[in-house]
Amino acid sequence: MKRLVQPEILDTLPPEDPRAIRSRRDLHRINWWMRNHAIMAGALQKNLAAAPKQITELGAGDGKFFLRVAKKTAPRWPEVQATLLDLQKNVTAETLASFVALGWRTETVVADVFNWPSATAGDDVVIANLFLHHFEDARLAELLGNISRRTKLFVAVEPYRFALPNLVGRMLWFMGCNEVTRHDAAVSVRAGFDGREISTLWPDHKNWQLTERRVGLFSHIFIAQRLE
């Protein structure tokens, strides 16, 4: 099935819309069920020999995915600077306090990833969860080029694209997810990745080690690590 990028309803709703609030709650459950935070934490720990100084999440949303990752890695990595970058300010004071309780410093940055503020330049690590699939290939290639100039390790967990995307919507109906979540889930699968599609768009294959594969039932992971 060819990759198809279509608009997702949640991206068009105001943060305070009840359907958006419900859908964000649904996404927390889905992420937990898919274990994307565990996949991300495992990939970070496997590919970093020492604790990073800073980790930036692109499309961080309300920050709760990153917080789950932090809870798994903080025992080994104290005092990390966590930067949460998103188009909207959705991170609550409670979530920020939870990072602090782990010993991590935090900052939220409201910005477009294509106008990445220079204040976050030199990021040790950049991560993304269910974010890259929102972009057509040409725009995604531009974003990956920006990332390659800013970091030494990039890890993305994305939807795995398979032939029956509507099946996911039906499964989520049984889980009690709302119509926004069910619609967007099928759209996400159609826009997801298979094989080495992200690797193909990475700008530099000589100086980076690229890993890309399906992981779990419904996830796809991409890892780019700069060679020393």
Side-chain angles (χ1 to χ4, degrees):
M1 181 179 70
K2 185 178 180 180
R3 184 168 180 255
L4 176 64
V5 179
Q6 298 172 303
E8 296 186 15
I9 296 174
L10 184 59
D11 294 335
T12 67
L13 295 176
E16 66 276 8
D17 187 297
R19 293 173 299 165
I21 294 171
R22 170 69 182 277
S23 186
R24 287 195 296 271
R25 286 202 300 262
D26 292 342
L27 290 175
H28 295 156
R29 288 193 294 147
I30 293 169
N31 266 306
W32 180 86
W33 181 68
M34 293 176 68
R35 307 299 291 172
N36 280 5
H37 63 289
I39 293 169
M40 179 66 74
L44 292 175
Q45 293 179 113
K46 181 178 180 180
N47 288 279
L48 288 169
K53 295 179 180 178
Q54 181 184 28
I55 303 176
T56 296
E57 183 184 8
L58 306 182
D62 61 12
K64 291 184 178 179
F65 170 80
F66 197 173
L67 179 59
R68 285 176 173 167
V69 175
K71 286 179 177 178
K72 284 189 167 293
T73 56
R76 290 181 56 188
W77 296 344
E79 300 181 0
V80 173
Q81 170 70 49
T83 301
L84 297 91
L85 188 148
D86 200 273
L87 270 175
Q88 298 177 326
K89 189 173 183 179
N90 292 320
V91 184
T92 66
E94 179 183 3
T95 297
L96 292 175
S98 296
F99 277 99
V100 173
L102 294 173
W104 285 27
R105 303 176 305 280
T106 60
E107 67 170 340
T108 58
V109 178
V110 178
D112 188 316
V113 292
F114 293 96
N115 294 293
W116 201 333
S118 58
T120 65
D123 306 74
D124 276 4
V125 180
V126 176
I127 64 173
N129 177 59
L130 304 181
F131 182 66
L132 300 186
H133 70 278
H134 289 93
F135 302 101
E136 299 275 4
D137 284 359
R139 197 67 165 149
L140 178 55
E142 180 184 351
L143 175 59
L144 295 176
N146 291 342
I147 293 169
S148 72
R149 293 187 289 272
R150 308 279 304 244
T151 188
K152 63 183 182 183
L153 176 67
F154 174 57
V155 182
V157 181
E158 293 295 321
Y160 167 69
R161 190 176 75 255
F162 60 96
L164 298 172
N166 291 329
L167 175 63
V168 175
R170 290 195 290 271
M171 292 172 61
L172 296 181
W173 180 82
F174 284 108
M175 291 175 60
C177 295
N178 76 353
E179 70 280 2
V180 172
T181 307
R182 298 197 303 270
H183 171 274
D184 287 356
V187 169
S188 294
V189 171
R190 295 187 192 100
F193 300 96
D194 188 15
R196 294 183 58 81
E197 293 172 329
I198 305 175
S199 299
T200 299
L201 300 175
W202 192 259
D204 181 359
H205 288 220
K206 180 180 178 181
N207 298 301
W208 290 79
Q209 177 178 304
L210 305 179
T211 302
E212 185 171 3
R213 59 184 172 84
R214 180 180 178 179
V215 58
L217 291 176
F218 299 110
S219 297
H220 183 89
I221 192 168
F222 171 76
I223 303 169
Q225 186 165 33
R226 187 185 295 276
L227 298 173
E228 299 296 336

